[in-house]
Amino acid sequence: DMSGSSVCKATMKEAEQINLVFLNHTGCQDAQCLWNLNISQILQSIPWIEYPSWASDDSFDLPQKGKFDGPMTVVDGYVVPAPPLDVWKQKIPGYSDVPYVIGTTLQEADFAPRYTNISKWSAEDYHWFVNSHLNTFGGHFSAQALALYPTSEFCSQPERCVEKAYMTMVSDLRASCPNNVVARLAAETLTSPVYRYQVTYTPSRPTEISYLFPYNSWFAFHTLDAVAFFGTLDFALGETSEDDRTFQRLMRKYLLHFAKEGTMPPEWPEYPNRTALLSTTLRVEKNYRSAQCALWENNDMFQYAWIS
């Protein structure tokens, strides 16, 4: 599971209510009218910005209290009998007990930052944006977050330290820490092995903007693991360094081993015992980024994780 959405719980009734927004925009009263809509009419009727916000323009940004994106998948009670996490929690019969690997990248959100001028932000800008979002939750939330995400952390690109800090914060909240919750629950429920990885590799150069990559991503962006596994870093970056190719070989080595054997090699322990950090080498760490994830979990931020 590469950078999967952690929240999947919308009922059929909720989905029907959400779809009414689209239906009302079309002005249709029957199915034939819907069938007759042309592409432009459909696109104009989709609620891109208003809830359910199908543009999901804030999914690569910090949340604001009470602002959510609507779901795309439905727990209909038949094909999907219950929310996947509830199936595990309640041990509802029917789930597949198979080896499971869950991965994220350290700067998922750097794939498509909401603010395209983020590379030009100052430290003051960084504090302002964090405060403007997290202060909506009250308390000392934003101050705690800023203390845990200093702009100096692991910064090898001095002119982009602010971008890296903000993208890491967003990615932890939206993807990495919620996927820890998923992995932890999987490990508690399944008898099969569960593994967790975080890609920490910073490519040698930014991605080239294309129909697949909307931004010059400098860090461990969303899909970096998939791009490396399929051996297409040269397409993403334009050209690759020896370190890029070493990282690519490492991704393929371990994921192919997992596909063939159903386990990882001994140097990669199961979760939650260790998290594998993937770069040009494999490193494992216990309680990886536990302080950062505790902040989000203790403040009920799981509900703002990526939704499917």
Side-chain angles (χ1 to χ4, degrees), residues 126 142-150 153 169 172 289-296:
Y126 173 54
S142 60
Q144 293 171 323
L146 287 166
L148 287 170
Y149 293 86
E153 184 183 27
M169 184 187 296
D172 277 356
R289 299 186 71 77
S290 57
Q292 289 85 350
C293 288
L295 173 69
W296 307 127

Side-chain angles (χ1 to χ4, degrees), residues 50-62:
E50 66 181 296
Y51 187 80
S53 309
W54 283 341
S56 299
D57 64 330
D58 64 343
S59 61
F60 288 90
D61 195 12
L62 292 176

Side-chain angles (χ1 to χ4, degrees), residues 109-145:
D110 204 47
F111 176 79
R114 189 177 192 182
Y115 311 104
T116 55
N117 68 341
I118 189 172
S119 63
K120 307 298 183 184
W121 284 6
S122 65
E124 290 76 17
D125 294 327
Y126 173 54
H127 283 242
W128 186 89
F129 275 97
V130 172
N131 287 328
S132 68
H133 287 77
L134 298 188
N135 279 348
T136 63
F137 294 91
H140 302 288
F141 197 20
S142 60
Q144 293 171 323

Side-chain angles (χ1 to χ4, degrees), residues 119 121 126 149-168 219:
S119 63
W121 284 6
Y126 173 54
Y149 293 86
T151 57
S152 59
E153 184 183 27
F154 312 127
C155 192
S156 59
Q157 298 282 346
E159 72 279 10
R160 290 181 176 265
C161 294
V162 169
E163 176 180 352
K164 188 172 188 180
Y166 193 78
M167 292 292 91
T168 304
F219 303 110

Side-chain angles (χ1 to χ4, degrees), residues 190-266:
L190 305 179
T191 59
S192 301
V194 174
Y195 301 94
R196 177 79 174 90
Y197 73 78
Q198 179 93 303
V199 171
T200 61
Y201 181 64
T202 298
S204 63
R205 64 189 67 244
T207 55
E208 293 191 339
I209 293 177
S210 68
Y211 66 95
L212 288 178
F213 301 102
Y215 178 75
N216 293 128
S217 306
W218 277 89
F219 303 110
F221 57 89
H222 178 62
T223 74
L224 177 58
D225 45 359
V227 170
F229 176 73
F230 287 106
T232 51
L233 268 178
D234 54 344
F235 172 79
L237 306 179
E239 58 181 283
T240 54
S241 67
E242 183 54 38
D243 278 351
D244 294 330
R245 293 186 289 274
T246 298
F247 165 66
Q248 193 163 256
R249 287 191 293 269
L250 180 137
M251 285 296 309
R252 303 180 88 174
K253 169 187 172 181
Y254 285 105
L255 293 185
L256 286 174
H257 185 282
F258 177 79
K260 291 177 181 177
E261 306 296 335
T263 60
M264 289 297 184

